[in-house]
Amino acid sequence: MSILARALHIVFMILGNIWFFVRDYIAVPLRLANPQDHRSRADEILPNEVRQKWEREQDELQKKLILKDNKCIKEMFKCHKVKDCKDHGYYIAGVDISFVKDDLVNACAGLVVLRFPSLKLVYEDYKMVELTEPYIPGFLAFREAPFIVDLFDTLKQTKPKYYPHLVMVDGNGILHPKEFGSACHVGVLLDLPCIGVAKKLFQVGGLENNQEHKEKIKQLKKGGATFPLVVDSGRTLGMALRSHDGCTKPIYVSPGHLVTVETAVKLVHCCCLKRVPEPVRLADINSREYIRQNFKPTTDNQAT
DNA sequence: GCGACAG
DNA sequence: ATCTTGTCGC
Protein backbone atom coordinates (compact mmCIF):
# COMPACT_ATOMS: atom_id res chain seq x y z
CA MET A 1 0.00 0.00 0.00
CA SER A 2 2.50 2.52 1.15
CA ILE A 3 4.81 1.45 -1.66
CA LEU A 4 2.06 2.20 -4.20
CA ALA A 5 1.43 5.58 -2.58
CA ARG A 6 5.15 6.42 -2.70
CA ALA A 7 5.37 5.35 -6.32
CA LEU A 8 2.42 7.55 -7.27
CA HIS A 9 3.93 10.43 -5.35
CA ILE A 10 7.20 10.08 -7.26
CA VAL A 11 5.38 9.86 -10.59
CA PHE A 12 3.48 13.07 -9.85
CA MET A 13 6.68 14.80 -8.80
CA ILE A 14 8.34 13.83 -12.06
CA LEU A 15 5.32 14.96 -14.07
CA GLY A 16 5.32 18.23 -12.12
CA ASN A 17 9.00 18.80 -12.82
CA ILE A 18 8.50 18.10 -16.52
CA TRP A 19 5.65 20.57 -16.50
CA PHE A 20 7.73 23.29 -14.83
CA PHE A 21 10.60 22.64 -17.22
CA VAL A 22 8.28 22.98 -20.22
CA ARG A 23 6.67 26.10 -18.77
CA ASP A 24 9.83 27.94 -17.76
CA TYR A 25 12.19 27.01 -20.57
CA ILE A 26 9.97 26.44 -23.57
CA ALA A 27 6.49 27.87 -23.23
CA VAL A 28 7.27 31.15 -21.46
CA PRO A 29 10.12 32.31 -23.75
CA LEU A 30 7.94 31.49 -26.74
CA ARG A 31 5.04 33.48 -25.35
CA LEU A 32 7.31 36.36 -24.37
CA ALA A 33 8.46 36.51 -27.97
CA ASN A 34 4.85 36.97 -28.98
CA PRO A 35 3.85 40.60 -28.30
CA GLN A 36 0.19 39.61 -28.50
CA ASP A 37 0.34 37.95 -25.13
CA HIS A 38 1.23 40.07 -22.14
CA ARG A 39 -0.85 37.99 -19.80
CA SER A 40 1.62 35.15 -19.40
CA ARG A 41 4.36 37.56 -18.42
CA ALA A 42 2.09 39.30 -15.92
CA ASP A 43 1.08 35.96 -14.46
CA GLU A 44 4.67 35.07 -13.74
CA ILE A 45 5.49 38.21 -11.79
CA LEU A 46 2.69 38.31 -9.23
CA PRO A 47 4.05 37.12 -5.88
CA ASN A 48 1.73 34.89 -3.94
CA GLU A 49 1.57 37.19 -0.93
CA VAL A 50 0.44 40.08 -3.12
CA ARG A 51 -2.27 37.94 -4.63
CA GLN A 52 -3.50 37.03 -1.14
CA LYS A 53 -3.43 40.65 -0.03
CA TRP A 54 -5.47 41.65 -3.06
CA GLU A 55 -7.96 38.88 -2.43
CA ARG A 56 -8.43 40.06 1.15
CA GLU A 57 -8.94 43.60 -0.08
CA GLN A 58 -11.58 42.41 -2.53
CA ASP A 59 -13.34 40.55 0.29
CA GLU A 60 -13.37 43.68 2.44
CA LEU A 61 -14.75 45.92 -0.30
CA GLN A 62 -17.28 43.29 -1.33
CA LYS A 63 -18.99 43.64 2.05
CA LYS A 64 -20.05 47.14 1.00
CA LEU A 65 -21.39 46.01 -2.38
CA ILE A 66 -25.07 46.74 -3.03
CA LEU A 67 -26.83 45.20 -6.00
CA LYS A 68 -30.07 47.14 -5.95
CA ASP A 69 -31.11 50.23 -7.89
CA ASN A 70 -30.59 53.35 -5.83
CA LYS A 71 -33.17 56.14 -5.93
CA CYS A 72 -31.28 58.21 -8.43
CA ILE A 73 -30.93 55.35 -10.89
CA LYS A 74 -34.64 54.60 -10.72
CA GLU A 75 -35.44 58.25 -11.47
CA MET A 76 -32.94 58.33 -14.29
CA PHE A 77 -34.46 55.27 -15.86
CA LYS A 78 -38.01 56.58 -15.47
CA CYS A 79 -37.04 59.70 -17.40
CA HIS A 80 -35.79 57.63 -20.25
CA LYS A 81 -38.86 55.44 -20.37
CA VAL A 82 -41.10 58.37 -21.22
CA LYS A 83 -38.98 58.74 -24.37
CA ASP A 84 -38.50 62.33 -23.39
CA CYS A 85 -35.33 63.54 -25.00
CA LYS A 86 -35.03 66.58 -22.78
CA ASP A 87 -32.23 66.35 -20.28
CA HIS A 88 -33.11 65.96 -16.66
CA GLY A 89 -29.89 67.04 -15.05
CA TYR A 90 -28.45 63.54 -14.83
CA TYR A 91 -24.85 62.81 -15.67
CA ILE A 92 -23.11 59.59 -16.67
CA ALA A 93 -19.35 59.21 -16.46
CA GLY A 94 -17.16 56.90 -18.51
CA VAL A 95 -13.61 55.92 -17.61
CA ASP A 96 -10.83 54.13 -19.41
CA ILE A 97 -7.08 53.77 -19.42
CA SER A 98 -5.12 53.67 -22.68
CA PHE A 99 -1.57 52.47 -23.00
CA VAL A 100 1.52 53.58 -24.82
CA LYS A 101 2.66 51.01 -27.34
CA ASP A 102 5.74 49.02 -26.29
CA ASP A 103 5.73 50.75 -22.93
CA LEU A 104 4.92 48.94 -19.73
CA VAL A 105 4.47 51.93 -17.43
CA ASN A 106 3.19 54.97 -19.29
CA ALA A 107 -0.54 55.23 -19.82
CA CYS A 108 -3.34 57.79 -19.97
CA ALA A 109 -6.33 57.75 -17.65
CA GLY A 110 -9.43 59.42 -19.04
CA LEU A 111 -12.71 60.54 -17.49
CA VAL A 112 -15.63 61.89 -19.49
CA VAL A 113 -19.03 63.05 -18.23
CA LEU A 114 -22.08 63.06 -20.50
CA ARG A 115 -25.48 64.56 -19.89
CA PHE A 116 -28.27 61.98 -19.90
CA PRO A 117 -30.12 61.10 -22.04
CA SER A 118 -28.83 63.52 -24.69
CA LEU A 119 -25.28 62.09 -24.36
CA LYS A 120 -23.76 65.55 -24.76
CA LEU A 121 -20.19 65.81 -23.48
CA VAL A 122 -19.99 68.26 -20.56
CA TYR A 123 -16.67 67.43 -18.91
CA GLU A 124 -13.46 65.64 -19.80
CA ASP A 125 -10.12 65.13 -18.15
CA TYR A 126 -7.07 63.15 -19.22
CA LYS A 127 -3.91 62.53 -17.29
CA MET A 128 -0.68 60.70 -18.05
CA VAL A 129 0.01 58.16 -15.32
CA GLU A 130 2.68 55.61 -14.50
CA LEU A 131 1.32 52.13 -13.96
CA THR A 132 2.79 50.25 -11.05
CA GLU A 133 0.82 47.01 -11.04
CA PRO A 134 0.65 44.29 -13.70
CA TYR A 135 -2.48 43.17 -15.46
CA ILE A 136 -3.70 39.99 -13.80
CA PRO A 137 -7.07 38.62 -14.92
CA GLY A 138 -9.40 38.99 -11.96
CA PHE A 139 -7.42 41.86 -10.48
CA LEU A 140 -7.79 44.56 -13.11
CA ALA A 141 -8.96 47.10 -10.55
CA PHE A 142 -5.66 47.07 -8.69
CA ARG A 143 -3.96 48.25 -11.85
CA GLU A 144 -6.44 50.91 -12.91
CA ALA A 145 -8.78 51.98 -10.11
CA PRO A 146 -6.44 54.35 -8.19
CA PHE A 147 -6.01 56.59 -11.24
CA ILE A 148 -9.74 56.61 -11.87
CA VAL A 149 -10.49 57.61 -8.28
CA ASP A 150 -7.91 60.38 -8.64
CA LEU A 151 -9.69 61.78 -11.70
CA PHE A 152 -12.97 61.81 -9.76
CA ASP A 153 -11.29 63.74 -6.94
CA THR A 154 -10.19 66.39 -9.41
CA LEU A 155 -13.69 66.54 -10.85
CA LYS A 156 -15.22 66.99 -7.41
CA GLN A 157 -12.84 69.83 -6.62
CA THR A 158 -13.04 71.71 -9.92
CA LYS A 159 -16.53 71.08 -11.34
CA PRO A 160 -18.67 69.49 -8.62
CA LYS A 161 -21.85 70.20 -10.53
CA TYR A 162 -20.80 67.61 -13.11
CA TYR A 163 -20.16 64.91 -10.53
CA PRO A 164 -22.04 61.98 -12.12
CA HIS A 165 -24.95 59.88 -10.92
CA LEU A 166 -23.65 56.79 -12.68
CA VAL A 167 -20.29 55.46 -13.87
CA MET A 168 -19.58 53.08 -16.74
CA VAL A 169 -16.34 51.15 -16.55
CA ASP A 170 -14.46 49.32 -19.29
CA GLY A 171 -14.42 45.86 -17.67
CA ASN A 172 -16.75 43.64 -15.67
CA GLY A 173 -18.87 44.16 -12.59
CA ILE A 174 -20.03 40.98 -10.82
CA LEU A 175 -19.26 38.92 -13.92
CA HIS A 176 -16.02 37.94 -12.24
CA PRO A 177 -14.55 34.84 -10.50
CA LYS A 178 -15.32 36.35 -7.10
CA GLU A 179 -18.28 38.41 -8.29
CA PHE A 180 -16.23 41.52 -7.68
CA GLY A 181 -14.78 42.91 -10.91
CA SER A 182 -13.25 46.31 -11.47
CA ALA A 183 -16.65 48.00 -11.93
CA CYS A 184 -17.63 46.83 -8.43
CA HIS A 185 -14.28 47.93 -7.08
CA VAL A 186 -14.57 51.40 -8.60
CA GLY A 187 -18.24 51.70 -7.66
CA VAL A 188 -17.62 50.88 -4.01
CA LEU A 189 -14.55 53.14 -3.76
CA LEU A 190 -16.52 56.05 -5.22
CA ASP A 191 -19.79 55.04 -3.58
CA LEU A 192 -21.52 55.64 -6.90
CA PRO A 193 -23.80 53.49 -9.06
CA CYS A 194 -21.53 51.71 -11.48
CA ILE A 195 -21.91 49.41 -14.50
CA GLY A 196 -19.28 47.15 -16.07
CA VAL A 197 -19.13 46.92 -19.86
CA ALA A 198 -16.76 44.32 -21.34
CA LYS A 199 -16.07 43.75 -25.03
CA LYS A 200 -15.11 40.11 -24.55
CA LEU A 201 -16.68 37.41 -22.40
CA PHE A 202 -14.84 36.79 -19.16
CA GLN A 203 -15.04 33.01 -19.00
CA VAL A 204 -15.99 32.38 -15.40
CA GLY A 205 -18.33 30.09 -13.50
CA GLY A 206 -18.67 27.66 -16.39
CA LEU A 207 -19.36 30.38 -18.95
CA GLU A 208 -17.41 29.77 -22.13
CA ASN A 209 -17.18 31.42 -25.51
CA ASN A 210 -17.97 28.08 -27.14
CA GLN A 211 -20.25 26.91 -29.90
CA GLU A 212 -23.28 27.01 -27.64
CA HIS A 213 -22.51 30.60 -26.66
CA LYS A 214 -21.97 31.59 -30.30
CA GLU A 215 -25.31 30.05 -31.13
CA LYS A 216 -26.99 32.24 -28.53
CA ILE A 217 -25.28 35.26 -30.07
CA LYS A 218 -26.75 34.36 -33.45
CA GLN A 219 -30.20 34.39 -31.88
CA LEU A 220 -29.85 38.08 -30.94
CA LYS A 221 -31.82 39.32 -33.89
CA LYS A 222 -31.86 43.06 -33.33
CA GLY A 223 -30.51 45.92 -31.26
CA GLY A 224 -31.47 45.67 -27.60
CA ALA A 225 -31.75 41.87 -27.66
CA THR A 226 -30.10 40.11 -24.74
CA PHE A 227 -29.48 36.76 -23.12
CA PRO A 228 -28.54 36.21 -19.49
CA LEU A 229 -25.11 35.04 -18.37
CA VAL A 230 -25.85 32.35 -15.80
CA VAL A 231 -22.99 30.72 -13.90
CA ASP A 232 -22.76 27.30 -12.25
CA SER A 233 -24.31 28.55 -9.02
CA GLY A 234 -27.44 29.47 -10.95
CA ARG A 235 -26.91 33.18 -10.43
CA THR A 236 -27.30 35.58 -13.34
CA LEU A 237 -24.19 37.76 -13.26
CA GLY A 238 -24.84 39.81 -16.37
CA MET A 239 -26.26 39.96 -19.87
CA ALA A 240 -24.91 39.76 -23.37
CA LEU A 241 -26.39 42.75 -25.21
CA ARG A 242 -26.61 43.46 -28.92
CA SER A 243 -26.00 47.21 -28.94
CA HIS A 244 -27.97 47.95 -32.10
CA ASP A 245 -29.19 46.42 -35.36
CA GLY A 246 -26.03 46.90 -37.35
CA CYS A 247 -23.74 45.12 -34.94
CA THR A 248 -23.58 41.38 -34.41
CA LYS A 249 -20.89 41.09 -31.76
CA PRO A 250 -22.46 41.66 -28.35
CA ILE A 251 -21.11 43.53 -25.35
CA TYR A 252 -21.19 42.04 -21.88
CA VAL A 253 -22.96 44.13 -19.25
CA SER A 254 -22.84 43.42 -15.53
CA PRO A 255 -23.80 45.48 -12.48
CA GLY A 256 -20.97 47.09 -10.57
CA HIS A 257 -22.65 48.82 -7.66
CA LEU A 258 -26.11 50.14 -6.77
CA VAL A 259 -27.79 48.78 -9.91
CA THR A 260 -29.62 45.59 -10.87
CA VAL A 261 -28.76 43.56 -13.94
CA GLU A 262 -31.94 44.63 -15.72
CA THR A 263 -31.47 48.34 -15.13
CA ALA A 264 -27.80 48.15 -16.06
CA VAL A 265 -28.61 46.63 -19.43
CA LYS A 266 -31.33 49.15 -20.19
CA LEU A 267 -29.19 52.14 -19.28
CA VAL A 268 -26.24 50.84 -21.28
CA HIS A 269 -28.50 50.30 -24.26
CA CYS A 270 -29.69 53.91 -23.97
CA CYS A 271 -26.07 55.03 -24.37
CA CYS A 272 -25.25 52.90 -27.42
CA LEU A 273 -24.78 54.96 -30.56
CA LYS A 274 -22.07 52.53 -31.64
CA ARG A 275 -21.24 49.07 -30.31
CA VAL A 276 -19.69 50.41 -27.11
CA PRO A 277 -21.79 52.86 -25.03
CA GLU A 278 -20.76 56.50 -25.50
CA PRO A 279 -19.27 57.17 -22.06
CA VAL A 280 -16.80 54.28 -22.34
CA ARG A 281 -16.22 54.84 -26.04
CA LEU A 282 -15.34 58.52 -25.65
CA ALA A 283 -13.09 57.89 -22.67
CA ASP A 284 -11.33 55.26 -24.78
CA ILE A 285 -10.77 57.14 -28.04
CA ASN A 286 -10.07 60.48 -26.40
CA SER A 287 -7.45 59.15 -24.00
CA ARG A 288 -5.77 57.42 -26.95
CA GLU A 289 -5.79 60.69 -28.83
CA TYR A 290 -4.36 62.46 -25.78
CA ILE A 291 -1.38 60.10 -25.83
CA ARG A 292 -0.78 60.79 -29.52
CA GLN A 293 -0.84 64.56 -28.94
CA ASN A 294 1.00 64.85 -25.66
CA PHE A 295 3.28 61.90 -25.09
CA LYS A 296 6.74 61.95 -26.61
CA PRO A 297 8.33 58.50 -26.33
CA THR A 298 11.83 58.43 -24.91
CA THR A 299 14.43 55.72 -25.18
CA ASP A 300 13.83 54.78 -21.54
CA ASN A 301 11.03 52.53 -20.51
CA GLN A 302 10.69 50.94 -23.87
CA ALA A 303 10.02 47.23 -23.86
CA THR A 304 12.47 45.07 -25.72
C1' DG B 1 -0.88 18.64 -11.18
C1' DC B 2 -2.20 22.38 -14.54
C1' DG B 3 -5.56 23.91 -17.59
C1' DA B 4 -8.69 29.65 -18.61
C1' DC B 5 -8.69 34.55 -17.71
C1' DA B 6 -11.86 41.45 -18.45
C1' DG B 7 -7.90 45.39 -19.73
C1' DA C 1 -4.21 46.76 -23.68
C1' DT C 2 -1.24 47.98 -28.60
C1' DC C 3 -0.03 48.00 -33.85
C1' DT C 4 -1.92 47.70 -39.03
C1' DT C 5 -5.59 48.87 -45.05
C1' DG C 6 -8.77 48.14 -47.31
C1' DT C 7 -13.13 46.28 -47.56
C1' DC C 8 -17.82 45.01 -46.94
C1' DG C 9 -22.43 46.54 -46.04
C1' DC C 10 -26.03 49.96 -44.94
Side-chain angles (χ1 to χ4, degrees):
Chain A
M1 263 314 240
S2 70
I3 293 196
L4 182 63
R6 273 187 68 127
L8 276 175
H9 184 243
I10 289 168
V11 166
F12 275 129
M13 257 178 58
I14 291 170
L15 283 177
N17 282 332
I18 290 173
W19 162 251
F20 279 114
F21 177 84
V22 168
R23 193 192 66 176
D24 292 338
Y25 295 102
I26 302 174
V28 169
L30 279 181
R31 282 183 297 177
L32 283 180
N34 176 4
Q36 301 277 311
D37 193 0
H38 279 206
R39 165 170 43 79
S40 48
R41 166 165 34 184
D43 253 341
E44 301 301 322
I45 61 174
L46 183 71
N48 226 347
E49 63 219 46
V50 177
R51 174 179 289 264
Q52 284 165 6
K53 190 179 136 222
W54 283 359
E55 283 178 352
R56 281 199 302 273
E57 204 169 327
Q58 285 181 329
D59 292 340
E60 280 309 305
L61 290 172
Q62 195 168 29
K63 290 177 187 163
K64 301 180 187 168
L65 185 66
I66 299 168
L67 293 174
K68 292 180 181 170
D69 292 332
N70 81 346
K71 212 171 91 189
C72 202
I73 290 294
K74 280 186 191 152
E75 292 291 315
M76 194 188 283
F77 185 61
K78 228 189 293 172
C79 292
H80 169 263
K81 270 211 298 207
V82 255
K83 299 268 179 200
D84 181 354
C85 263
K86 278 175 81 169
D87 284 318
H88 302 272
Y90 290 112
Y91 297 106
I92 300 186
V95 292
D96 190 38
I97 293 187
S98 294
F99 301 84
V100 176
K101 189 198 161 201
D102 293 332
D103 189 322
L104 297 176
V105 298
N106 291 295
C108 174
L111 165 64
V112 298
V113 179
L114 314 192
R115 202 185 280 273
F116 183 82
S118 69
L119 303 180
K120 207 183 127 198
L121 183 69
V122 294
Y123 176 91
E124 52 185 333
D125 188 18
Y126 310 96
K127 197 173 175 184
M128 291 306 299
V129 297
E130 292 188 6
L131 299 170
T132 56
E133 309 300 340
Y135 167 65
I136 310 289
F139 299 100
L140 177 61
F142 292 92
R143 180 166 161 86
E144 302 194 340
F147 305 110
I148 290 172
V149 172
D150 186 51
L151 288 174
F152 274 88
D153 283 342
T154 312
L155 165 61
K156 200 174 222 165
Q157 282 163 27
T158 57
K159 300 270 185 184
K161 70 170 178 170
Y162 292 135
Y163 203 74
H165 306 90
L166 169 67
V167 186
M168 288 188 189
V169 171
D170 193 355
N172 288 297
I174 58 173
L175 181 56
H176 177 275
K178 297 178 69 185
E179 301 192 14
F180 198 75
S182 64
C184 303
H185 203 117
V186 168
V188 169
L189 287 181
L190 294 172
D191 196 25
L192 274 177
C194 195
I195 299 174
V197 181
K199 288 164 291 220
K200 291 188 297 193
L201 177 66
F202 197 176
Q203 308 192 156
V204 297
L207 289 170
E208 249 185 292
N209 188 15
N210 53 18
Q211 211 48 53
E212 183 196 346
H213 184 81
K214 285 172 183 153
E215 196 49 47
K216 286 184 188 168
I217 291 176
K218 273 191 197 158
Q219 300 306 316
L220 300 174
K221 290 303 180 192
K222 58 188 178 76
T226 62
F227 64 84
L229 302 167
V230 186
V231 288
D232 291 333
S233 65
R235 280 165 60 75
T236 298
L237 298 189
M239 302 272 235
L241 166 69
R242 180 166 179 168
S243 311
H244 54 86
D245 294 347
C247 180
T248 52
K249 190 176 178 183
I251 54 176
Y252 298 93
V253 179
S254 58
H257 189 40
L258 296 168
V259 278
T260 59
V261 180
E262 295 77 16
T263 311
V265 168
K266 286 167 187 165
L267 285 173
V268 166
H269 187 221
C270 293
C271 295
C272 282
L273 271 37
K274 303 277 180 59
R275 181 168 93 104
V276 174
E278 284 307 281
V280 174
R281 206 187 122 251
L282 288 182
D284 180 14
I285 62 176
N286 290 353
S287 58
R288 252 206 309 264
E289 182 63 22
Y290 186 88
I291 289 176
R292 274 224 295 269
Q293 305 269 337
N294 301 289
F295 186 76
K296 303 270 178 276
T298 61
T299 44
D300 322 330
N301 276 332
Q302 294 238 342
T304 44

